[in-house]
Structure formats: structure tokens, C-alpha cells
Amino acid sequence: MLSLPSTSSSISRKKYDVFLSFRGEDTRNNFTDHLYDALSRSVIVTFRDDPKLEAGEEIAPELFKAIQQSWCSVIVFSQTYAFSSWCLEELAEIVKQHNNDGHKVFPIFYHVDPSDLRKQKEKVEEAFARYKERYKEDSEKIQRWRNALIQVAGIKGWHLNNEHESEFIKDIVKKISAKLCQTYPATHSDLVGISERLEDLYLKINIGEDDVRVIGIFGMGGIGKTTLARVAYTQMSSHFEGKSFIADIREVSDKCGLVSLQKQLLSQIFHGECFNFFDVHEGSYIISHRLSHKKVLVVLDNVDNIQHLKCLVGRHDWFGLGSRIVVTTREEHLLRSWPVDDMYEPTTLNPKDALQLFSLKAFHSDTVQKDDFIELSKHVVNYAGGLPLALEVLGSFLCDRDKTQWRSAIERLKRDSNKEIFDKLRISFEGLEEREKNIFLDIACFFNGENKDFVIKVLDGCEFFPDIGIDVLVKKSLVKVDKHNKI
């Protein structure tokens, strides 16, 4: 499974997700109000100061506390932001929390040029000229404000000039929502290489949009689809009114039938409520009727038959606005034949992450602990090809064994595959038609790395119908065709 140590900046310790910093008279009743509303609709807990607090010149203590209790600050730099000593004092506290405690900062440049803030020109220069006169005895305060402005203006953010504010706000909420999801505590303690995959997946899931969306995660067995879906489910579930994770649908469906899956979906969302029906069509009706006005998160894991989708998630209008359905499968074609809104294919781990995951399993450490095991570890990691399942299984198998045993195991792997890995990958092969099995075996034994057109020409003579056969293998994540047309 995709495996990284869980984030230290857990959102669970914070009262607010977002602290909004802005100049009231510039944007309170327009842009900032619309932004606050969009964040709230996406279930992002946002602190916005009460206008009554701005009566005095000194910043209210509760604002300092709110900054400290927020995971991030979103700062709306407007034309006269720097003219407010209140705003600058707020900004200095935000920078202090950012530097000392990792508080996240997201600047929005609302019809202002970031370079004017960094270089402190134009209106910013005018504002500081006034402060120089007003705070003659407190030059340190002015310098603190200047430094805070320079630092935050150098952070990449959003710059609004002549685009539609509604689209601009949508993009902000989408990005913040995706970042926030990654901070929620996951149930796995040894996840490596998952951060970028989660961020890519969250951009597709986009819980900031008020629509119903079905997202497919596809790829070969052992690539980490279920782990990715499980972590996303754990992190996102607080945004929804109901949730259901149905694991290993292929196996459960074979053993217990489709009705049992429908009952599991409803029972998880309605917290153990008993559903007495014994017909798939009746189950589909109950799902569509009971969930059509409910914002839910549903994960269907290891789907291999379109009937699973038909009876469990039917149409988009079965679910309330804001609902998200995530489907994991080995079969890309299954997703393309169903109306999914987007698809994501996890990649194998890069060499650095692969070695880290292997080391966690083999040495219970992020790195290879013994110098004389470094080359041996690289051999195993190279054999695993970045596949998380293989790295975990082999790392656990080699843990606490000596060098002689490692060498013996590596030599054995050259002749025989590890049974646990082999059994997992064989599932896709066993689901093939006889002709496709033959095509796969021919590719694996004779044509690995060959040009696709050449392979088709050869296999065509065997009456294997390779055009459709190879496409089936690709869609089942058993083979890949690279950009150079090599299989």
C-alpha cells in the first residue's frame, strides 16, 4: 500500500480552519463576504472578525487568539490594507505564527500588485510615511510591520486583476480545501509517497463544488488504490452528512450478493438502521429515495463489474448536492463505460520513496540502517519496480534476516515470484478470456519492450485478434504502452 509519516500539523488541534485577514472598509461587504460564504459552504470553519471590534486602535486579544487557533490565514491585500494599523498588527502576528509554528499563509492580491507590497511603493509607501510620524517612539513596531509585508508578499498566492470574482473565489476554495484535507489525521502511521497523490486526487474530487461527482481510481493490483481511497475517505468524511466505505466489493459480491452490498451502504450512512429488502431493484429504489437530499461520501473499493455501479450508485441524482462517489478498480474500461466525472491513475513509487518504504518494513527505519545492506536493498527495490505491495511484502519478509539469507532470497526471486505478490496480481490475469491470457503470456515471455505494431502483426497470424486483446490488457492495467509505442 502507498505508505509516509502522518502530518504533524494535525487539524484536530485547531479550532478554526481559516483566519480571514482583510481591510473592512475595502472588502467586507463584497469580495471578503463572498469568499467567507464560499468557504462556509464547503464546510471550512472560518474566523472573520466582528466589525464592532475595529472601533479601537489596538488589536483585540481575541484576534490574536483566533490566529493561534487557526490552521491557516487567508490575507486579502486590498488597495488600503496597509493604511490599517490593525491589519498590519494582525499580519505581524500571522507571520510570527508562520515562522514559529508552521501556520500556513495564503495571500490574495485583490487589485494590488505584489511587487508594490514587497518594495513598499505607491500607497504602501504613503501609509508608512504616516506611521513614521505617528509612531516616532516605536520604530521597532514599524519595522516589524514592514518585514511582515515583505515576507507575505513574497509567498505565492492568488492575484486578481480582470477576471470574474466568482471563478477566482472557486479556485481559492478548491485549493484550500485540497490542502486542508491532507491535514486531517489518517489511520495509517507509515504512509510513504502519498502526499502528492492525495493532492492530485483532491483536485479531482473538489469538495468545494456544490455538485454530485463520481471519481474513479484505477491501476494494477498492489499500486495502492485502496490505501489512497481509505486515507482520502478518513480525511474528507467530516465534510459530509453521511459516509460509507464498502471494501473489496468484488469478493463480497461473489460471496454475499448485490443486496448485501446495498444494505451495507445504507446501514453505514444511517448508522445501523435495519433495512429489510431482498431484491436489488427495491434496494436501488431505497438508495435513490433516501439519499437524494443527503450530502454523502461513498467509496466503492475493488469494483470489477458494472452491475456493482448500477445497483449501488445508479445515477448522479440518487445523491444530494455536494456528494462524492469514489470508485477503485483495476479496469479502466469499466470507468469509461460508466458516467464518471474524472479518473485518477496512481503511479508507482519513485526510487527514493520506494527505498524509504522498503526500509520501513525491513529495518523499521526511514533509511537502510546497515551499510553492508545498502546494495542488497537496492537490488530488492529494483526488483519491486516501485510497486508498494511488493516493497511491503518483501521488506517484511527480509526483516531481521542476515546477509546470507538476503542473498539467498534475492536469488530465489529471480526464479520464483513471492506467493503473496503473485496471488494478488494473478487476480487480473484469471479474469481474462483465453485469447487474452495467451496474448499476455506472449508479451510477458517474448515481446516485453517491443513495438506495439510489430507485436500486433505477429499475434495477428495466430488469430488472437490482438488489436482488441491488447486494448483489454491495457484497460485492465496488465500492460502499458509508452509514448514510443513500446509494450
Side-chain angles (χ1 to χ4, degrees):
M1 325 299 155
L2 288 173
S3 298
L4 151 129
S6 56
T7 176
S8 60
S9 58
S10 171
I11 199 72
S12 61
R13 296 196 298 270
K14 300 296 184 181
K15 184 175 180 180
Y16 305 104
D17 296 330
V18 173
F19 178 90
L20 265 182
S21 176
F22 60 96
R23 181 81 193 274
E25 64 185 62
D26 280 358
T27 65
R28 179 183 296 282
N29 297 321
N30 41 65
F31 178 81
T32 297
D33 189 53
H34 298 150
L35 176 59
Y36 177 80
D37 182 60
L39 289 166
S40 299
R41 279 189 282 109
S42 292
V43 204
I44 295 174
V45 183
T46 305
F47 180 91
R48 174 177 59 172
D49 71 306
D50 187 329
K52 294 174 184 173
L53 293 175
E54 294 189 18
E57 191 165 294
E58 294 300 316
I59 187 168
E62 52 260 52
L63 288 189
F64 279 130
K65 191 174 180 182
I67 293 167
Q68 293 158 12
Q69 292 179 329
S70 299
W71 173 74
C72 78
S73 288
V74 174
I75 304 158
V76 183
F77 287 115
S78 54
Q79 293 282 344
T80 65
Y81 183 92
F83 281 88
S84 167
S85 58
W86 180 295
C87 285
L88 293 177
E89 198 61 40
E90 229 175 52
L91 184 69
E93 178 62 22
I94 289 168
V95 167
K96 177 183 171 185
Q97 294 301 317
H98 172 71
N99 292 339
N100 295 344
D101 297 317
H103 181 85
K104 304 298 180 187
V105 177
F106 300 100
I108 298 171
F109 304 102
Y110 184 73
H111 299 298
V112 296
D113 189 335
S115 67
D116 287 347
L117 297 176
R118 284 196 304 272
K119 297 173 183 176
Q120 301 186 352
K121 295 161 44 181
E122 306 290 340
K123 289 186 178 296
V124 180
E125 186 178 26
E126 184 183 336
F128 275 100
R130 296 184 187 183
Y131 295 137
K132 194 173 181 181
E133 186 66 30
R134 189 189 306 175
Y135 301 108
K136 289 178 181 176
E137 309 302 321
D138 198 352
S139 59
E140 283 187 14
K141 174 188 281 194
I142 296 174
Q143 192 58 48
R144 191 171 71 248
W145 291 351
R146 285 187 182 276
N147 293 343
L149 260 180
I150 292 168
Q151 184 173 340
V152 177
I155 296 173
K156 186 179 179 182
W158 294 274
H159 190 185
L160 178 69
N161 270 326
N162 298 313
E163 57 193 290
H164 295 295
E165 285 192 8
S166 59
E167 293 302 315
F168 185 71
I169 287 173
K170 272 185 186 178
D171 184 58
I172 293 169
V173 174
K174 179 179 177 179
K175 297 285 175 56
I176 290 174
S177 183
K179 293 284 187 186
L180 265 172
C181 280
Q182 294 176 60
T183 69
Y184 299 139
T187 55
H188 303 75
S189 60
D190 61 345
L191 299 172
V192 176
I194 202 171
S195 280
E196 288 181 10
R197 292 164 177 79
L198 275 175
E199 189 164 352
D200 291 341
L201 179 61
Y202 287 141
L203 289 174
K204 293 177 182 295
I205 291 173
N206 191 9
I207 59 176
E209 288 291 322
D210 196 21
D211 58 2
V212 177
R213 190 162 295 191
V214 182
I215 305 298
I217 304 174
F218 71 95
M220 70 184 295
I223 197 71
K225 303 180 295 296
T226 299
T227 301
L228 185 61
R230 177 75 72 180
V231 173
Y233 175 81
T234 302
Q235 295 183 338
M236 291 191 300
S237 54
S238 63
H239 287 264
F240 298 86
E241 297 167 355
K243 59 181 181 177
S244 173
F245 189 108
I246 306 182
D248 203 357
I249 284 177
R250 179 187 61 81
E251 188 172 333
V252 174
S253 175
D254 288 345
K255 289 181 179 177
C256 307
L258 296 174
V259 171
S260 71
L261 291 170
Q262 292 177 319
K263 288 180 178 178
Q264 183 180 342
L265 171 69
L266 290 164
S267 295
Q268 287 182 355
I269 291 174
F270 293 103
H271 305 293
E273 184 178 331
C274 185
F275 291 89
N276 291 313
F277 59 89
F278 304 95
D279 177 78
V280 170
H281 298 292
E282 187 182 357
S284 296
Y285 172 77
I286 293 171
I287 291 170
S288 64
H289 180 70
R290 293 292 300 272
L291 299 182
S292 59
H293 298 290
K294 198 173 182 71
K295 180 182 177 182
V296 296
L297 172 63
V298 176
V299 176
L300 306 180
D301 173 51
N302 196 14
V303 171
D304 74 340
N305 190 316
I306 203 161
Q307 292 302 321
H308 299 152
L309 300 177
K310 284 183 177 178
C311 77
L312 290 169
V313 295
R315 300 193 309 266
H316 283 54
D317 61 7
W318 283 20
F319 304 94
L321 291 177
S323 293
R324 293 293 181 268
I325 317 299
V326 178
V327 179
T328 77
T329 181
R330 300 183 183 201
E331 303 196 21
E332 180 187 353
H333 183 69
L334 185 144
L335 296 175
R336 293 195 181 280
S337 61
W338 188 256
V340 298
D341 298 287
D342 212 336
M343 298 193 297
Y344 177 66
E345 182 181 16
T347 57
T348 52
L349 295 177
N350 64 46
K352 180 183 175 184
D353 287 341
L355 185 59
Q356 183 183 349
L357 174 55
F358 176 76
S359 299
L360 279 169
K361 299 302 174 183
F363 304 104
H364 304 298
S365 169
D366 282 354
T367 56
V368 179
Q369 291 297 292
K370 304 171 184 175
D371 290 343
D372 49 347
F373 278 84
I374 291 175
E375 285 306 313
L376 291 171
S377 296
K378 287 179 179 178
H379 273 296
V380 181
V381 169
N382 186 55
Y383 169 84
L387 187 68
L389 170 71
L391 291 161
E392 288 198 351
V393 169
L394 295 174
S396 299
F397 174 73
L398 292 167
C399 183
D400 287 332
R401 298 187 190 276
D402 61 35
K403 270 200 310 182
T404 303
Q405 292 168 330
W406 272 56
R407 289 196 184 97
S408 177
I410 291 169
E411 286 303 313
R412 192 172 76 181
L413 283 172
K414 292 176 182 177
R415 298 188 179 189
D416 304 305
S417 298
N418 175 277
K419 186 178 186 304
E420 187 176 346
I421 301 168
F422 181 74
D423 287 346
K424 184 85 171 178
L425 299 180
R426 189 175 60 183
I427 293 169
S428 295
F429 177 77
E430 294 296 347
L432 296 173
E433 298 290 340
E434 203 58 39
R435 278 195 174 89
E436 287 144 6
K437 286 182 179 179
N438 287 329
I439 292 172
F440 178 81
L441 291 172
D442 281 344
I443 290 172
C445 296
F446 307 116
F447 301 120
N448 198 20
E450 294 289 345
N451 183 276
K452 178 185 170 184
D453 296 334
F454 169 72
V455 175
I456 287 175
K457 189 175 180 181
V458 173
L459 296 180
D460 217 14
C462 304
E463 296 187 352
F464 282 170
F465 307 103
D467 284 287
I468 185 65
I470 289 175
D471 185 66
V472 168
L473 296 177
V474 170
K475 297 290 171 57
K476 285 183 177 286
S477 304
L478 282 165
V479 303
K480 284 189 176 296
V481 180
D482 69 16
K483 60 183 180 180
H484 304 297
N485 208 34
K486 302 279 188 183
I487 294 183

